[in-house]
Amino acid sequence: MKVLTALLALAAARAQVPTTWAQAEVDTLELPAANPAYSAIHLDQAAYYRIPERVIYRTYPVYAPGREPAGYREWLQSREPEIAFDASKVKSKEQWVRAGETVFNTPTSFQAVFFTADNLRDPEFFRRTGMPIATDGTVPFARWTVRRKGEVELGSMGCNTCHTRVLAEGTVVPGAQGNNPGDRQGALLLASAATMLGQEQALARVRKFARQFQMPWLQDDCNRVTETMTIADFVKAGEEIPPGVTARANTSMILPPQIPDLIGVRQRRFLDHTGLIRQRGIGDLMRYSSLAQDLFSQDRYGSNSTAGRAGPPSARYSDPQLYSLALYLYSLQPPKNPHRSDASAVRGQAIFRREKCATCHTPPLYTNNRLIPADGFHPSAEIAGVLRAPIGVDARYTLETHKNTGYYKVPSLKGVWYRGPFGHNGSAATLEDWFDPSRIRPDYVPTGYKGYDGKTRSIPGHLFGLTLSGPEREDLIAFLNTL
Ligand code: HEC
Ligand code: HEC
């Protein structure tokens, strides 16, 4: 009888895990591309489940130089490999969430994407890149991993590499807009590869990498510029990308996006700045995570298929891994807000009302969860959730990258006090800059991301709040900082 009860409990636990790659759900996951003929076609269900599941090993914190406990390296060397995710042992809701935290921090790459193991032991590397260090001396963007005894590997490119923020005083905030300077680190890595391999070979590699961002069907694809860029141009392009912005898969090295805050993601109807992915339930967040980390490389676009793309990925997350990850993301909480509502914030709230910010940034989420067509985009189909209210922001990200839908999502304003840079491309470093009327002048130099050649001027559009007096602006920001 006891065995039967246990089996039934196990079956119930299994039953609640949604099937990630359910064909009908995958086929309707995304909005059509701005040009629907080139919407992504994903790998089919049978092929998806033939990809081996990712084995999740126990990982260990990375410490900044001089902060490692005595004997730490020797201790790591002596560790046996341990499996850290076993779905059969995960039962309570709390256990699912904790298992999801493990998945969040699990590396998906053991190669140098942003940094090498040597880099993370070199104080000069931290000085040059401004890589943040937590109060306890750890570097939460990477993990030591033991997959074979005696071999301690540096792993990264789990969610933590991009979606973890270390606040100024050293508090680690998982899920917040990340602030590891990944692309600046990548630029250093490229410069040293050019010294070691020679310019030509390093250039061939980085051009091949950059080709994944191209959209051959666009007459004037800005990503094509990488075909004529030199090593020095690529290094410059990487150095220009500030922490909080990153060129990840399916975005662009030329038009990298702001890394979104994942705290509060459960309430969002659309994912990505362009609202490409629908979030109809937890299964869609699982699909999103699998796609963004592993499956994107298998996408085909109309008849223009897989130019420059690779064979099937070596691993994917299992369905229970993705389910626990999504439950963990749903459990994330913001750090304690030091900003209290004072007289200035109360005045700011009145300005927020008067300026009709709430039409789009509607309380309590401070977003209406809607999409706004970019200037110059003429939708061919009706999409539920669209608000036709042109705001004139830079349309390129939503028209000239694989995330193209022709729309921008209205972002939530919750948590602006602990994040930045702002705007879908992170062009304004602070809220003060976002509401600085001179940002729309052609001779303005953005304080956040400036563009790959560092020459792009002005932050156009979203004119809301730009006509306020100085004190009014301060009050509005005081209010926003309380959210
Ligand atoms: C290399 C950096 C990087 C890694 C690694 C990464 N992300 Fe992201 N993530 C981004 C960027 C950049 C965006 C914004 C893309 C866009 O808007 O088009 C994003 C967007 C998202 C979004 C959409 C949120 C929203 O509100 O629009 C979710 C959800 C997300 N990531 C979850 C994850 C999870 C879960 C993992 C790990 C399995 C992960 N990401 C790994 C950089 C990264
Ligand atoms: C018509 C809809 C609309 C109205 C009205 C509006 N916003 Fe926005 N807001 C947006 C959209 C869309 C974005 C994203 C712009 C982008 O991605 O570049 C945005 C971005 C922002 C951001 C940057 C957020 C981030 O995470 O990067 C802030 C701050 C902001 N708005 C504040 C305000 C305030 C304050 C007002 C009123 C003075 C206001 N907005 C009025 C639609 C609106």
Side-chain angles (χ1 to χ4, degrees):
M1 207 48 202
K2 262 194 185 144
V3 176
L4 184 64
T5 321
L7 278 176
L8 284 174
L10 192 64
R14 288 261 163 82
Q16 67 182 334
V17 177
T19 301
T20 305
W21 224 250
Q23 197 65 58
E25 309 295 320
V26 170
D27 291 345
T28 51
L29 180 65
E30 288 171 352
L31 262 52
N35 177 349
Y38 295 102
S39 296
I41 303 164
H42 306 302
L43 201 65
D44 65 66
Q45 186 176 28
Y48 179 88
Y49 284 106
R50 278 199 296 274
I51 301 169
E53 291 178 2
R54 179 164 284 119
V55 178
I56 294 191
Y57 291 92
R58 180 164 168 201
T59 64
Y60 303 87
V62 170
Y63 289 89
R67 305 292 297 271
E68 266 183 11
Y72 187 59
R73 257 185 247 182
E74 296 69 31
W75 179 77
L76 285 177
Q77 289 288 341
S78 73
R79 305 304 298 165
E80 298 281 345
E82 278 178 56
I83 302 291
F85 187 101
D86 178 352
S88 70
K89 295 204 180 114
V90 184
K91 302 213 162 71
S92 67
K93 172 85 191 286
E94 179 54 27
Q95 286 170 332
W96 276 105
V97 170
R98 291 283 69 84
E101 182 179 19
T102 301
V103 179
F104 184 86
N105 291 306
T106 289
T108 62
S109 172
F110 298 96
Q111 318 214 308
V113 182
F114 291 151
F115 36 69
T116 64
D118 285 346
N119 288 152
L120 297 194
R121 290 177 164 142
D122 173 13
E124 184 55 25
F125 180 78
F126 284 80
R127 260 193 297 274
R128 275 187 77 174
T129 65
M131 189 177 201
I133 302 168
T135 312
D136 62 2
T138 59
V139 179
F141 313 110
R143 302 284 292 183
W144 296 116
T145 310
V146 179
R147 296 189 292 167
R148 285 170 293 272
K149 189 172 178 179
E151 216 176 294
V152 183
E153 296 174 283
L154 183 72
S156 65
M157 304 317 275
C159 317
N160 60 329
T161 302
C162 300
H163 291 289
T164 297
R165 194 174 188 89
V166 179
L167 303 185
E169 79 288 359
T171 307
V172 176
V173 188
Q177 180 178 1
N179 62 346
N180 178 53
D183 297 75
R184 287 181 180 164
Q185 295 163 339
L188 267 186
L189 216 52
L190 176 62
S192 67
T195 313
M196 273 158 48
L197 302 171
Q199 296 268 332
E200 216 166 293
Q201 208 179 329
L203 190 59
R205 272 201 203 174
V206 66
R207 283 215 181 123
K208 180 162 183 257
F209 173 79
R211 227 157 267 152
Q212 66 173 306
F213 301 119
Q214 290 190 14
M215 308 187 34
W217 54 93
L218 286 187
Q219 218 174 35
D220 192 17
D221 174 15
C222 68
N223 295 294
R224 231 166 277 154
V225 69
T226 57
E227 295 291 346
T228 52
M229 277 166 62
T230 62
I231 286 284
D233 295 334
F234 277 109
V235 168
K236 165 100 175 124
E239 280 171 349
E240 284 297 339
I241 301 179
V245 177
T246 204
R248 85 152 323 186
N250 275 358
T251 66
S252 166
M253 284 170 102
I254 303 303
L255 300 168
Q258 178 205 53
I259 302 174
D261 185 2
L262 301 182
I263 301 167
V265 70
R266 183 179 201 155
Q267 276 85 30
R268 295 176 206 154
R269 187 172 169 191
F270 299 102
L271 304 177
D272 284 344
H273 291 293
T274 62
L276 178 64
I277 309 267
R278 297 183 167 91
Q279 188 178 217
R280 299 159 294 189
I282 195 166
D284 285 338
L285 186 54
M286 294 164 60
R287 287 180 260 286
Y288 180 96
S289 306
S290 190
L291 193 58
Q293 290 285 80
D294 298 307
L295 266 293
F296 67 90
S297 65
Q298 305 304 296
D299 288 347
R300 290 181 294 119
Y301 300 93
S303 53
N304 251 296
S305 59
T306 51
R309 301 214 151 203
S314 57
R316 62 170 170 87
Y317 297 109
S318 71
D319 288 359
Q321 287 168 3
L322 288 166
Y323 183 57
S324 64
L325 175 61
L327 286 174
Y328 172 65
L329 297 181
Y330 283 177
S331 80
L332 291 171
Q333 295 297 324
K336 195 168 173 303
N337 192 338
H339 303 272
R340 301 267 136 243
S341 185
D342 55 10
S344 169
V346 170
R347 288 192 301 271
Q349 184 166 21
I351 296 165
F352 189 81
R353 243 180 266 129
R354 187 191 76 202
E355 298 295 315
K356 303 198 168 51
C357 310
T359 328
C360 291
H361 302 289
T362 319
L365 302 178
Y366 290 88
T367 170
N368 57 8
N369 254 326
R370 295 178 77 169
L371 302 177
I372 297 193
D375 287 27
F377 171 60
H378 307 288
S380 58
E382 277 304 316
I383 307 269
V386 167
L387 178 68
R388 283 177 195 274
I391 60 168
V393 298
D394 187 336
R396 291 175 301 165
Y397 187 68
T398 193
L399 293 177
E400 298 181 35
T401 71
H402 286 301
K403 303 274 192 184
N404 75 114
T405 59
Y407 300 99
Y408 283 116
K409 176 170 77 175
V410 176
S412 169
L413 301 184
K414 288 183 76 93
V416 284
W417 70 267
Y418 60 76
R419 52 190 176 82
F422 298 100
H424 69 273
N425 53 10
S427 48
T430 63
L431 288 177
E432 282 74 10
D433 301 331
W434 184 252
F435 295 110
D436 173 0
S438 67
R439 74 159 161 76
I440 59 173
R441 284 174 28 183
D443 63 345
Y444 183 80
V445 180
T447 49
Y449 183 55
K450 298 174 175 56
Y452 74 96
D453 54 4
K455 287 191 199 130
T456 309
R457 299 283 187 266
S458 98
I459 308 174
H462 193 288
L463 304 178
F464 314 106
L466 292 194
T467 54
L468 304 176
S469 70
E472 278 184 322
R473 188 157 58 233
E474 271 173 37
D475 290 342
L476 176 65
I477 293 172
F479 168 65
L480 296 177
N481 277 331
T482 64
L483 301 179

